[in-house]
Amino acid sequence: MYNLYYICMRNRFVMFIRCMDAQITNNFREAEIYTRPAQGNGLWTCALLPAILIFYDNIYKVSPLYKLITCVSIGLLAHSILYLLFFYVSCLVLRDTLNAGCFSAAFLSALPIYLKLEQSLVVAIALPLMAIYIFTFFLKLALVKCPKTFTIGEAMLVSQGMSLIIVTMIARVVLGSYYPDYAETDATMHLINTYVFTVFSTVGLLVAVLYNLEEYNRTFDKLVFIISLALLYTLIVLHVSYGYNCIPAFVYFIFGNSVRVRLFCFWLALVLLSVFIIVVRTRKGDRANTVTRKVFHLLATLVFISGILLDVYFMTLAAGLIFCVLILIEAIRKSKINPVSPFLQYAFDIYKDHKDSGNFAMTAIYLYVGLACPLVIVPREAKNPELELLSGVLAIGIGDTAASWFGEKYGTMKWPDGNRTMEGTAFNVLAQMVAIYMLNIFDLLDSPYMYIRTAIAATVSALVEARTTQVDNLVLPLVTILAFQSTTIL
């Protein structure tokens, strides 16, 4: 195992990437731009999301909107690589506005949109340029305005995700109005998309308002007033988008189905338990260790594993809405509004991970995104998608949690140049296999070749977890999806 590791590290391509990584780190230090402290910049992570979308686009007959977003992601990948080459030379590109590289990358997306998807020239040019502009905005914001919060790879991955989400929202509204192929034909997904995108836009406006709020207006009464206006805005948009029965339809969607009612009660109980644990621990003032934080991994895993296997539609709606709530809570924590912000800050100080060295509580948000991202990325047209939908649950909810507990308690043999143990890595794979076996025993999961596919994907994710210095919660679910995709030949 050790010999194999060192052979891989001496590979010429790997050596070039490591030298490039080191040079980029030096350039960032000279420019006084501080990324999250880590042994590497995670340059490879910028290819994860586009690779997954391209793979699904080629093996399944996905929707026209999915194809469109895949084409846009090609341009984002090209622009990310261009940025890495720029960073290798200098970091001055972060101080500039849009450059010629933006138009070159946009062209790589515009060509297949125009020729393959047969969209108008305006759409083929406008959407990729918009996506690259949004990506550039978030990348500069992450690296320059949020010091020590992201590595370069994490910043690129997050910026790609935000860009694709916003472009999806715009394309769904604009193209869905003029092209029947881009309109949502599934009534349930239409309801879910309407509510999630509306709440997402509302939270975006709330974050902008809180960020620009004057110091004397940072009071609890003003916060209540702003949130009340936001709720009114949400109701107006929903009324215009979905009709006068927008609220009754939402209530009936949840409480008009017995399975969803039971899921709702189960999730509510887990949320209340989580709040109780946070309040008790915060009052004691004891710093949480790694094993303690993994309790929330297990609670979140119970939510997602029950939702994905019993009602994936309800899980998608809940995941989208709660993600918006998490963003809003983080914005309120940073807005310094008494007495809410100090309590949230104190709870963050108690539970923060050592990787939360920057301005924001990214590890908790990454955990949620990692568990939920397969719901967005895996297309509905995929055959037997259960394992891929469970990628986040298996990789970080079960595998990473098991590896952390077992490695800390019983691990003795450490991986070269790291603090992860080989025993923890082995238990990571074993835990994922046992989880799949138990789900099969209780007739909750039955997918072709699921044990072989899980063994391959679990091994890949466990090895990446053992070696990567990037945030596990963000990259492991995507790596696991890619690993499951590689097994589709079975």
Side-chain angles (χ1 to χ4, degrees):
M1 184 68 72
Y2 282 87
N3 292 334
L4 179 62
Y5 171 78
Y6 284 115
I7 289 172
C8 292
M9 289 300 100
R10 291 194 187 100
N11 180 276
R12 288 185 178 181
F13 178 75
V14 173
M15 291 296 293
F16 169 75
I17 295 298
R18 295 182 73 181
C19 292
M20 182 179 180
D21 191 285
Q23 181 60 44
I24 290 175
T25 299
N26 291 333
N27 290 340
F28 268 69
R29 286 175 181 170
E30 291 177 2
E32 296 184 346
I33 299 174
Y34 303 103
T35 58
R36 184 178 66 79
Q39 291 182 359
N41 291 308
L43 307 183
W44 57 276
T45 59
C46 70
L48 287 176
L49 192 52
I52 292 172
L53 296 176
I54 292 169
F55 193 96
Y56 278 130
D57 183 31
N58 282 279
I59 64 173
Y60 296 121
K61 189 178 180 181
V62 295
S63 68
L65 181 60
Y66 199 99
K67 290 180 177 293
L68 180 69
I69 298 304
T70 301
C71 293
V72 171
S73 73
I74 295 173
L76 292 178
L77 175 59
H79 198 49
S80 300
I81 294 173
L82 278 177
Y83 259 114
L84 294 180
L85 295 176
F86 290 147
F87 292 159
Y88 183 66
V89 178
S90 171
C91 292
L92 293 177
V93 68
L94 288 175
R95 313 293 186 186
D96 297 336
T97 54
L98 292 177
N99 49 60
C102 299
F103 298 98
S104 302
F107 177 76
L108 290 178
S109 291
L111 203 59
I113 292 175
Y114 182 69
L115 297 178
K116 183 181 177 182
L117 303 185
E118 299 180 348
Q119 286 297 316
S120 66
L121 191 61
V122 174
V123 173
I125 294 175
L127 281 181
L129 275 178
M130 184 185 304
I132 287 175
Y133 176 80
I134 296 170
F135 168 80
T136 302
F137 171 80
F138 278 109
L139 182 64
K140 293 180 178 180
L141 183 69
L143 293 176
V144 179
K145 300 295 183 181
C146 304
K148 299 182 180 180
T149 304
F150 306 90
T151 63
I152 296 173
E154 291 165 3
M156 285 186 167
L157 183 53
V158 170
S159 300
Q160 288 174 354
M162 293 298 297
S163 177
L164 291 177
I165 288 174
I166 295 173
V167 170
T168 301
M169 293 171 60
I170 295 172
R172 190 181 296 278
V173 173
V174 176
L175 296 181
S177 303
Y178 295 98
Y179 302 97
D181 289 343
Y182 286 89
E184 183 59 67
T185 56
D186 188 329
T188 303
M189 284 306 301
H190 174 64
L191 181 144
I192 292 171
N193 291 327
T194 301
Y195 277 85
V196 171
F197 288 152
T198 301
V199 175
F200 186 83
S201 65
T202 303
V203 170
L205 292 173
L206 274 171
V207 171
V209 170
L210 291 173
Y211 178 79
N212 293 287
L213 205 60
E214 297 292 341
E215 191 68 32
Y216 63 86
N217 280 326
R218 295 179 183 273
T219 62
F220 183 74
D221 292 340
K222 187 66 69 174
L223 176 63
V224 172
F225 176 72
I226 293 172
I227 292 178
S228 300
L229 287 180
L231 290 174
L232 180 61
Y233 163 82
T234 303
L235 289 175
I236 292 174
V237 173
L238 285 175
H239 185 273
V240 172
S241 303
Y242 199 77
Y244 70 93
N245 66 333
C246 57
I247 299 302
F250 180 76
V251 174
Y252 181 77
F253 176 81
I254 299 175
F255 298 102
N257 182 295
S258 59
V259 174
R260 290 172 187 164
V261 170
R262 289 195 291 269
L263 279 174
F264 180 83
C265 294
F266 178 57
W267 295 346
L268 181 61
L270 293 177
V271 170
L272 293 176
L273 177 61
S274 300
V275 172
F276 175 75
I277 293 173
I278 291 173
V279 171
V280 170
R281 189 100 189 182
T282 303
R283 285 184 176 179
K284 288 183 178 180
D286 298 332
R287 285 292 304 274
N289 56 27
T290 302
V291 176
T292 304
R293 283 190 293 270
K294 296 303 180 182
V295 172
F296 294 97
H297 282 230
L298 292 176
L299 293 176
T301 296
L302 290 175
V303 171
F304 277 89
I305 202 168
S306 59
I308 289 172
L309 294 178
L310 296 180
D311 195 327
V312 70
Y313 281 119
F314 189 31
M315 185 70 258
T316 303
L317 174 64
L321 296 181
I322 298 302
F323 172 71
C324 295
V325 172
L326 286 177
I327 298 297
L328 179 59
I329 290 174
E330 181 63 8
I332 293 174
R333 181 181 75 87
K334 299 299 295 182
S335 62
K336 299 179 181 179
I337 296 176
N338 287 319
V340 184
S341 299
F343 174 78
L344 293 175
Q345 180 62 45
Y346 187 58
F348 169 69
D349 292 336
I350 294 294
Y351 281 96
K352 72 177 181 179
D353 189 84
H354 69 280
K355 293 180 180 178
D356 288 319
S357 56
N359 297 326
F360 300 101
M362 297 307 300
T363 302
I365 295 175
Y366 287 156
L367 169 63
Y368 193 83
V369 170
L371 292 170
C373 69
L375 295 168
V376 179
I377 297 174
V378 179
R380 297 201 302 273
E381 297 82 2
K383 297 179 181 178
N384 304 306
E386 294 84 5
L387 289 177
E388 285 135 294
L389 290 174
L390 289 171
S391 294
V393 170
L394 292 172
I396 58 178
I398 296 173
D400 184 40
T401 302
S404 177
W405 171 79
F406 194 85
E408 186 171 315
K409 200 170 184 67
Y410 302 105
T412 56
M413 298 176 58
K414 291 192 174 183
W415 286 94
D417 306 324
N419 59 355
R420 311 287 173 85
T421 65
M422 293 185 178
E423 292 87 349
T425 301
F427 196 71
N428 184 331
V429 178
L430 178 62
Q432 294 187 54
M433 293 298 298
V434 170
I436 293 297
Y437 177 75
M438 295 302 295
L439 291 175
N440 182 250
I441 286 292
F442 288 101
D443 293 327
L444 293 173
L445 180 64
D446 186 14
S447 182
Y449 303 100
M450 58 184 180
Y451 294 116
I452 298 176
R453 297 184 67 198
T454 301
I456 295 172
T459 301
V460 171
S461 67
L463 291 174
V464 172
E465 187 271 338
R467 299 305 309 149
T468 186
T469 57
Q470 307 307 295
V471 177
D472 300 337
N473 297 344
L474 181 64
V475 300
L476 288 186
L478 300 179
V479 170
T480 306
I481 293 176
L482 276 172
F484 274 127
Q485 286 179 336
S486 69
T487 65
T488 53
I489 191 174
L490 295 175

